[in-house]
Amino acid sequence: MDLYSGLPYWIVKNPLYDDYHPLSADLRTEVAIIGSGITGALVAHELCKVGIECTVFDKRTPTTGSSAASTALLQYEIDTPLCRLVGKIGETAAVRAYHSCLQSINGLEHVFMELNISPDFMRVPSIYYASDRNGLSLIREELEIRNRFRLPVIYFSKKDLSEKYHLKAPGALVNYSSAQVDPYQAATQILRHYQEKGQLDVYTHTEITQWEEEGEGYRLVTARGTTIHCRYVVVAAGFEAGRFLPAKVMKLTSTYAILSEPVEKEYIWPGHSLIWETREPYLYIRTNNRNRILVGGEDEDFRDPVKRDHLLRKKVSVLEKKIKKLFPDLPFRTDTAWCGTFSSTADGLPFIGAWPGKERMLFALGYGGNGITFSMIAAQLIRCKIQGIKDERESVFGFERLH
Ligand SMILES: Cc1cc2nc3c(=O)[nH]c(=O)nc-3n(C[C@H](O)[C@H](O)[C@H](O)COP(=O)(O)OP(=O)(O)OC[C@H]3O[C@@H](n4cnc5c(N)ncnc54)[C@H](O)[C@@H]3O)c2cc1C
């Protein structure tokens, strides 16, 4: 699958982790991780830190899948508002999902501190503004339930938003528990850390094409015909993981992003807040530490990469108009633009864990707008599963909820 096109900023900004290391002989490993994106890297971290032997395999150069195209806003608030998620999966599970995402941002920060790496992780506030009157009633309902379950949130009126952020909207929910990161640096720095310590091998340009259960584990076959024997397989293959699943669990769509040239710092709103809205598909905005502004959204309900790419120019102009409408004085000039495949699930939550009856193939599928926070949860849950530790989050994110 062609996961993105255009030039994602992270690929332009960072030197390529130019590793070419295909698997050329059969191999035995405790845990085979398929995918070297942010999810595979975090899974490798969780396993390496407790001494569980693992090996990463990727059909591409490391971290050049969706993680390289991500805009990497890190928020505890997921695509489905809590007040609606309760109706889909029940109150206990919904509240647990939200609290897990909140913890996950701390978890990511902790990983970067623990490994002493700096992938431009930055704590920033988040503004979820009402796009219209319906949005205003939604955020009022959302405020009540988040307060009830002690999730960090405050309400900003139309006046607050205009005075503090020069943003024209009828109201918003604000929290100070969000963050942003450079996802390419995050994943490659984690992988490199363990490779340099001699704890991890990463085989690139190694596509897993066949798999079968074998005794107490799995036998995997690569496109080059080499074989991998392992006790567990972790599928961290992102939006291309569908081939490993017995049923379709997600919908693939297309999404667009533009990045501005740097602007003078007085144009950047307080705290470099993340900004997004109640309308769907939503517009979202973040900045970076060089005062560039990243705007994303304009999602389309199809996955065809040719059709997706065809719309790129049109989408750039729509996104530019939208940002200008929101911040009329902002001198926004697009520097780079790209589009990518994106995936969502019916309840907005990821799928993490084993497909019932296949206990040694563990999925880490962070689908939805909060893919990276879900990746952290997946990495922790998979480590617990392999260590035989029960985790109460399992039932919230597992495949069991499909049945
Ligand atoms: C434009 C865009 C904006 C986004 N914005 C955000 C955001 O603001 N916040 C957020 O949290 N999330 C966001 N996401 C989602 C987030 O980027 C993804 O959830 C995340 O990057 C997925 O990481 P991953 O490691 O699971 O997948 P990937 O990065 O795609 O890594 C999977 C890897 O598996 C490899 N692979 C696949 N199949 C095989 C196989 N058979 N054999 C070997 N290797 C294989 C691929 O080559 C790939 O490198 C965004 C996504 C896009 C596209």
Side-chain angles (χ1 to χ4, degrees):
M1 197 191 299
D2 176 8
L3 286 173
Y4 57 82
S5 43
L7 269 180
Y9 176 53
W10 318 113
I11 295 283
V12 186
K13 172 184 170 246
N14 295 304
L16 183 73
Y17 189 0
D18 193 5
D19 199 8
Y20 181 77
H21 183 39
L23 181 70
S24 57
D26 294 354
L27 182 118
R28 199 167 279 280
T29 183
E30 188 72 2
V31 183
I33 302 170
I34 306 175
S36 67
I38 187 66
T39 313
L42 287 167
V43 172
H45 162 75
E46 285 294 317
L47 299 183
C48 287
K49 78 170 189 192
V50 295
I52 298 174
E53 193 233 339
C54 59
T55 310
V56 172
F57 303 90
D58 201 302
K59 64 181 186 181
R60 299 185 170 88
T61 297
T63 320
T64 52
S66 305
S67 300
S70 183
T71 44
L73 286 76
L74 306 176
Q75 290 166 299
Y76 82 79
E77 34 201 355
I78 63 178
D79 288 355
T80 312
L82 180 57
C83 59
R84 291 188 181 151
L85 190 61
V86 165
K88 288 177 188 274
I89 61 168
E91 192 172 270
T92 309
V95 171
R96 197 164 277 162
Y98 263 69
H99 275 285
S100 303
C101 291
L102 182 62
Q103 279 169 23
S104 158
I105 302 170
N106 297 337
L108 285 161
E109 185 170 28
H110 187 76
V111 171
F112 306 142
M113 277 163 56
E114 207 180 341
L115 303 187
N116 197 18
I117 57 176
S118 33
D120 289 346
F121 177 90
M122 187 171 147
R123 283 283 180 179
V124 285
S126 170
I127 302 174
Y128 178 45
Y129 71 87
S131 317
D132 47 31
R133 273 165 181 270
N134 289 341
L136 193 59
S137 25
L138 171 68
I139 65 167
R140 287 200 171 124
E141 200 184 334
E142 187 65 8
L143 176 69
E144 187 282 317
I145 192 163
R146 287 205 212 164
N147 274 332
R148 185 146 51 94
F149 291 104
R150 297 177 189 284
L151 286 157
V153 67
I154 50 175
Y155 179 74
F156 270 29
S157 65
K158 184 177 174 180
K159 189 162 164 271
D160 295 333
L161 285 171
S162 156
E163 283 175 8
K164 293 189 179 119
Y165 291 94
H166 307 291
L167 188 99
K168 271 196 351 213
L173 298 183
V174 177
N175 74 71
Y176 295 91
S177 308
S178 305
Q180 61 187 35
V181 74
D182 173 336
Y184 183 77
Q185 276 196 32
T188 53
Q189 289 184 14
I190 294 170
L191 294 171
R192 208 187 282 266
H193 173 90
Y194 287 105
Q195 283 179 288
E196 285 174 0
K197 279 180 79 182
Q199 266 188 278
L200 182 70
D201 283 324
V202 178
Y203 290 95
T204 70
H205 305 87
T206 301
E207 181 174 6
I208 308 299
T209 51
Q210 294 171 52
W211 51 94
E212 61 178 6
E213 285 175 276
E214 173 190 69
E216 292 283 275
Y218 265 86
R219 174 178 172 270
L220 311 177
V221 182
T222 71
R224 292 164 189 261
T226 45
T227 304
I228 301 146
H229 300 274
C230 56
R231 273 209 323 128
Y232 288 95
V233 190
V234 175
V235 181
F239 305 143
E240 293 169 314
R243 68 195 292 187
F244 297 95
L245 285 162
K248 190 172 168 225
V249 299
M250 79 290 202
K251 191 173 81 180
L252 291 172
T253 53
S254 298
T255 188
Y256 299 83
I258 57 176
L259 178 88
S260 76
E261 293 174 2
V263 297
E264 295 297 329
K265 73 172 184 301
E266 57 266 26
Y267 287 108
I268 301 289
W269 41 92
H272 284 256
S273 290
L274 311 178
I275 301 175
W276 65 304
E277 63 171 334
T278 54
R279 185 181 293 125
E280 287 181 34
Y282 55 83
L283 180 79
Y284 62 90
I285 306 162
R286 62 164 276 191
T287 60
N288 76 355
N289 52 10
R290 297 169 196 199
N291 294 335
R292 288 178 185 269
I293 298 159
L294 218 161
V295 184
E298 277 303 297
D299 301 5
E300 287 286 346
D301 218 12
F302 58 78
R303 57 173 276 194
D304 177 359
V306 177
K307 207 166 148 194
R308 179 192 73 199
D309 299 359
H310 227 78
L311 282 178
L312 183 57
R313 274 173 202 276
K314 189 174 146 210
K315 294 294 187 178
V316 169
S317 127
V318 176
L319 287 170
E320 282 172 344
K321 281 195 188 106
K322 286 191 170 174
I323 181 85
K324 280 190 178 139
K325 189 166 171 214
L326 208 57
F327 293 106
D329 300 330
L330 187 70
F332 189 103
R333 275 213 300 274
T334 302
D335 209 358
T336 185
W338 66 98
C339 47
T341 296
F342 196 66
S343 175
S344 55
T345 59
D347 53 17
L349 296 180
F351 285 100
I352 303 170
W355 187 269
K358 302 264 180 216
E359 296 305 310
R360 288 181 182 272
M361 182 175 267
L362 304 172
F363 290 88
L365 311 179
Y367 297 143
N370 287 62
I372 299 172
T373 40
F374 294 149
S375 303
M376 185 70 248
I377 299 170
Q380 292 168 340
L381 280 177
I382 282 171
R383 193 231 326 125
C384 287
K385 179 87 181 169
I386 293 175
Q387 289 181 305
I389 300 169
K390 183 93 194 112
D391 190 306
E392 60 184 12
R393 294 172 294 178
E394 253 174 50
S395 58
V396 179
F397 300 113
F399 289 101
E400 289 74 11
R401 70 184 199 274
L402 286 173
H403 305 293

